[in-house]
Amino acid sequence: MSGKREIACGVDVHNKFVMATILSSDGLKLQSRFETSLEDLLKFKSWLKENGCHKVALESTGNYWLPIYHVLEGHVNFILANAYQIKHIPGRKTDTLDSEWIAELCLKNLITPSRIFTQDHRELRSLTRARESLIKVRTKIKNRVTHELEAACIKLSSVIADVFGKSGRHIVDGLLNGMDLEKILESIPSGRVRKNKEEIRGIIQANLSTSQIFLLRSHLNTIDVLTRQIKEIDAKISDQISLRNEDMKIALSMPGMGFISASTILAEIGDFRDFSSANKLAAYCGLVPSVYQSAGKLINGHITKHGSPHIRRIIIEVAHAIILTKKLSKLKKFFLRIKARRGAKIGIVALARKVLCILYHLLIRREFYQDDLLSEPRCIKNPRLNTIKAMDLDEMIRTIVRAGYEVRKNECLESG
């Protein structure tokens, strides 16, 4: 008895065109090339319908797949393939052979579909990633400003914690505008920084050249523009994340978590219900160790670093924030225990994975994070002190007398 006829299409995606190959289980093979304009993509959809193809697979190359997804969504079984899985085949270098290979894998159900985020989740993720890019650019320009100042023997960073804070900008702007140094020092906004004016006077030992003034003004103007853009994106992120208000509250209940870090993590995770376990989420984020087997032995290597680098970066930052807190929490104790055995770097990564796994369970159970060490006084881990029993008033008096003191009403005097 002949089986059901299977038809699948593989697509090799590029910026300006796509190469598509239709294969069927009875030997049919059709190939065609389409531009990535909306008109041609609609022709591609009609071409699929005409040939009875309702299953399309393509690799997740940047954002090139998104226009195709928008056109085909709801009309075909859309399979987004991880390029890492389907490209490790030697000898297949042409667009035609690539599309044919993807179609063959799709026809035989050998492609594990990648997750496709909903529109809301994609928009939130785009905002958080855009913010991250702007922060990187701003940090790079801030470093240039610091280098220009140091080249002019103005080493503000050695005296002021934040050169780009209110007091730091006051000093730099005053120097660029040619203000008298004494007036600049006397009008520093922060009283704490103003106390160090003698030290600040000592590190400003040279005048700025015209070219240095031009470059510093240009860099500072760019920093101000970027700062305004970042604030605008923050407002958009706040509006977008309001759709996941309960998830945000749960994430913010964890130590070391702030608004931006929580927003970024939730944006990169998407729908947490897509993962059957916390370990699956950790693997998706590349926070699980790679495993090697040799001579019957399993060896754990470095973390795989598969998946989004954005969530790994932000979850590591959360882990650093946890260990820098003064209060001892369960998570900080976990880090200290791993650090004592394996070192600080492995401890940080282990803590980051633990934070991610705990967050997953909290989101699934709709619970807030609780830590007994943060909500209750910490008990002293001394068995002898823990065995001391409460004494009544008479026992207290006898103990004081045995210690050489004389007890009177309302006062205790040391006996001679």
Side-chain angles (χ1 to χ4, degrees):
M1 186 174 72
S2 60
K4 183 180 177 181
R5 184 172 183 253
E6 295 286 343
I7 302 177
C9 177
V11 182
D12 188 48
V13 188
H14 297 271
N15 184 22
K16 297 183 179 180
F17 71 93
V18 298
M19 179 62 69
T21 300
I22 291 179
L23 295 179
S24 70
S25 55
D26 59 4
L28 173 68
K29 178 179 175 182
L30 299 172
Q31 290 183 325
S32 186
R33 171 177 163 148
F34 300 91
E35 303 298 320
T36 53
S37 63
L38 179 59
E39 181 182 358
D40 255 35
L41 290 179
L42 291 173
K43 290 180 181 178
F44 173 51
K45 182 172 73 172
S46 300
W47 182 68
L48 293 173
K49 287 183 177 180
E50 291 170 2
N51 291 282
C53 180
H54 300 286
K55 185 162 67 170
V56 177
L58 66 159
E59 61 179 340
S60 54
T61 306
N63 289 327
Y64 296 160
W65 61 273
L66 271 173
I68 304 172
Y69 174 73
H70 290 315
V71 171
L72 300 182
E73 184 180 13
H75 300 280
V76 299
N77 179 13
F78 190 90
I79 301 174
L80 187 64
N82 189 327
Y84 180 83
Q85 292 181 341
I86 64 176
K87 280 299 185 184
H88 280 348
I89 306 298
R92 298 181 178 272
K93 300 300 181 183
T94 68
D95 302 330
T96 303
L97 288 177
D98 279 342
S99 65
E100 185 177 342
W101 174 248
I102 296 172
E104 186 177 340
L105 293 176
C106 181
L107 186 65
K108 296 178 180 179
N109 297 317
L110 295 177
I111 299 177
T112 302
S114 297
R115 300 171 66 223
I116 299 179
F117 285 31
T118 63
Q119 182 69 23
D120 291 339
H121 290 166
R122 286 201 301 270
E123 289 178 358
L124 178 59
R125 189 175 60 175
S126 297
L127 288 171
T128 56
R129 290 185 178 182
R131 186 187 189 278
E132 181 183 339
S133 298
L134 291 179
I135 290 290
K136 288 181 178 178
V137 174
R138 189 178 67 175
T139 301
K140 187 175 181 180
I141 298 176
K142 283 183 176 181
N143 290 336
R144 289 180 182 175
V145 171
T146 304
H147 293 158
E148 287 290 341
L149 290 173
E150 290 180 352
C153 295
I154 302 173
K155 302 183 182 296
L156 281 178
S157 57
S158 62
V159 181
I160 302 177
D162 184 9
V163 177
F164 302 93
K166 196 171 183 180
S167 296
R169 280 299 300 266
H170 171 79
I171 296 172
V172 174
D173 290 339
L175 292 173
L176 294 180
N177 294 328
M179 286 179 60
D180 182 68
L181 180 58
E182 294 303 321
K183 290 183 179 180
I184 295 174
L185 296 177
E186 290 297 331
S187 57
I188 292 175
S190 172
R192 181 179 56 84
V193 178
R194 201 182 308 122
K195 291 179 181 178
N196 300 326
K197 63 181 181 180
E198 295 299 328
E199 192 174 354
I200 295 173
R201 184 186 292 109
I203 56 94
I204 302 177
Q205 300 175 357
N207 294 323
L208 292 166
S209 66
T210 54
S211 61
Q212 287 174 327
I213 292 174
F214 171 79
L215 288 174
L216 286 170
R217 280 179 175 167
S218 176
H219 292 331
L220 291 174
N221 289 336
T222 304
I223 289 171
D224 291 340
V225 171
L226 290 172
T227 300
R228 288 195 295 270
Q229 291 178 345
I230 290 169
K231 288 181 179 179
E232 291 174 0
I233 290 181
D234 286 345
K236 293 292 292 183
I237 291 174
S238 182
D239 293 339
Q240 193 71 26
I241 203 67
S242 62
L243 302 174
R244 304 179 64 181
N245 191 38
E246 188 66 22
D247 293 348
M248 191 66 176
K249 289 180 179 178
I250 292 172
L252 289 174
S253 69
M254 296 197 65
M257 198 80 72
F259 172 77
I260 294 301
S261 56
S263 302
T264 303
I265 292 170
L266 292 175
E268 294 296 329
I269 291 176
D271 189 352
F272 55 87
R273 288 175 287 267
D274 290 345
F275 302 96
S276 58
S277 68
N279 287 333
K280 292 289 181 63
L281 175 58
Y284 174 79
C285 298
L287 286 172
V288 295
S290 53
V291 179
Y292 306 92
Q293 186 173 17
S294 178
K297 294 182 180 180
L298 290 177
I299 303 172
N300 289 333
H302 298 290
I303 57 173
T304 61
K305 293 187 178 181
H306 291 167
S308 167
H310 308 278
I311 191 170
R312 283 196 302 277
R313 180 192 62 82
I314 203 71
I315 205 73
I316 291 292
E317 286 186 7
V318 171
H320 277 287
I322 291 173
I323 66 173
L324 290 176
T325 54
K326 294 181 179 179
K327 292 184 178 180
L328 183 65
S329 62
K330 288 183 177 179
L331 291 173
K332 188 172 182 179
K333 285 182 66 177
F334 171 81
F335 164 76
L336 294 175
R337 188 169 66 250
I338 301 297
K339 177 186 175 183
R341 294 190 291 110
R342 305 290 302 278
K345 291 183 178 180
I346 293 179
I348 283 289
V349 175
L351 177 58
R353 177 180 174 177
K354 191 173 186 67
V355 168
L356 187 64
C357 291
I358 290 175
L359 177 59
Y360 171 83
H361 288 295
L362 293 176
L363 291 171
I364 289 292
R365 298 172 184 174
R366 315 311 292 166
E367 296 175 353
F368 294 104
Y369 181 82
Q370 294 181 354
D371 191 330
D372 296 338
L373 294 182
L374 296 178
S375 59
E376 296 179 5
R378 185 158 52 96
C379 62
I380 301 174
K381 299 295 182 180
N382 190 318
R384 288 184 296 178
L385 293 178
N386 290 338
T387 57
I388 295 178
K389 299 179 180 179
M391 296 184 292
D392 58 23
L393 182 59
D394 292 334
E395 289 176 327
M396 292 180 185
I397 293 173
R398 286 194 295 269
T399 302
I400 292 173
V401 171
R402 284 198 299 268
Y405 289 84
E406 182 180 34
V407 180
R408 295 179 182 177
K409 185 178 181 179
N410 294 333
E411 62 179 357
C412 292
L413 298 175
E414 184 173 356
S415 59

